[in-house]
Amino acid sequence: MSKNPFVRFTVYGAGILLIIFVLLISVTRQTLYAPTAADAQARARLSVGDRLSELRIWPPNPDHPLYILRVGLDQWRLHNATDAQLPLVKIDLAAQRLQSAQILLTHHRTSLSLTTVTKSTKYILSA
């Protein structure tokens, strides 16, 4: 680390701002995608086996721990599509999001299902 106090202050300040940013994103995400009381009660009745079987679903839904892989793959597909293919890829992604929304509804995740339908609509409108 540099002995210059200004550089140290800047580096520490940037680190603190990064930590605050990550915490804000985490709290916001938990607030937006938190299950409602009815969703939580319905999920409480699920057995451990049912919850583990949900983790084997591929492609993963937005409530799945590996969902970030699906998002990355979708972004890769959009980035590598030609101008002629782009509308078809977006329609395909919209259809996948609608299927995910249906699955989320069966798993009693209504608020997250609504968000997923909204994402599907955005893909259709941009296609």
Side-chain angles (χ1 to χ4, degrees):
M1 182 66 70
S2 173
K3 293 184 180 185
N4 184 348
F6 179 73
V7 172
R8 287 180 117 173
F9 177 75
T10 304
V11 170
Y12 290 142
I16 290 170
L17 287 176
L18 180 64
I19 290 169
I20 291 171
F21 177 73
V22 169
L23 287 174
L24 284 173
I25 293 291
S26 176
V27 168
T28 303
R29 186 165 189 255
Q30 288 177 0
T31 303
L32 290 175
Y33 300 122
T36 63
D39 292 347
Q41 286 177 352
R43 299 239 354 121
R45 289 189 288 269
L46 292 177
S47 68
V48 174
D50 291 338
R51 290 184 183 190
L52 288 175
S53 68
E54 290 176 3
L55 294 178
R56 290 191 289 265
I57 296 172
W58 192 264
N61 295 318
D63 61 345
H64 196 281
L66 297 178
Y67 182 68
I68 192 69
L69 295 176
R70 180 179 182 179
V71 171
L73 180 62
D74 292 348
Q75 293 302 315
W76 180 79
R77 286 180 61 196
L78 288 169
H79 178 71
N80 290 329
T82 64
D83 290 339
Q85 295 171 335
L86 194 58
L88 297 175
V89 170
K90 288 182 178 181
I91 296 293
D92 183 47
L93 292 175
Q96 289 178 10
R97 292 295 187 270
L98 283 175
Q99 289 173 348
S100 292
Q102 289 175 333
I103 293 170
L104 288 169
L105 279 175
T106 61
H107 293 163
H108 306 288
R109 298 295 307 268
T110 53
S111 59
L112 193 53
S113 176
L114 180 62
T115 305
T116 306
V117 169
T118 303
K119 181 64 176 178
S120 174
T121 305
K122 289 179 182 178
Y123 276 133
I124 290 173
L125 292 175
S126 67

